[in-house]
Amino acid sequence: YLPIVKVQAAYPRRALQRGIEGYVVVEFTVTKQGSVRDPVVVEAEPEGIFDQAAMDAVLKFKYKPKIEDGVAVATQEVPFRLRFQMADER
């Protein structure tokens, strides 16, 4: 499988106002059609702050599916780490 489209996650307003940064690791299935299905947060720091924004973003990702013996197949437990960092104002 190869990434075709990756969408930037929306920074949660509450986290932005409080100056909170972090990351979320999501695992999901890349379908035979190249879309993302069944995303699950497997790690987050801090917990619960960026989870929904990460899930919303990965559901918009598109992939070229994995090919086995000339046939597209689904790939399960694909990990992806999203970082949430505020822009440096310097």
Side-chain angles (χ1 to χ4, degrees):
Y1 63 95
L2 294 171
I4 297 171
V5 175
K6 289 188 180 174
V7 176
Q8 180 70 38
Y11 212 103
R13 185 177 303 147
R14 188 178 74 189
L16 197 57
Q17 290 169 341
R18 295 180 182 174
I20 299 171
E21 296 184 332
Y23 68 90
V24 177
V25 179
V26 179
E27 282 185 355
F28 50 82
T29 298
V30 174
T31 68
K32 293 186 283 187
Q33 294 78 28
S35 61
V36 170
R37 188 182 73 218
D38 304 328
V40 176
V41 173
V42 293
E43 185 179 341
E45 183 61 42
E47 288 186 20
I49 302 292
F50 301 108
D51 296 20
Q52 191 60 52
M55 299 275 272
D56 292 345
V58 299
L59 283 169
K60 296 175 185 169
F61 288 4
K62 297 289 179 216
Y63 286 84
K64 180 177 181 184
K66 183 176 177 183
I67 305 295
E68 289 183 2
D69 299 323
V71 178
V73 295
T75 305
Q76 297 180 330
E77 297 180 359
V78 175
F80 191 83
R81 183 183 183 116
L82 294 97
R83 292 184 186 276
F84 291 86
Q85 295 177 312
M86 292 180 286
D88 195 352
E89 297 293 324
R90 284 184 254 164

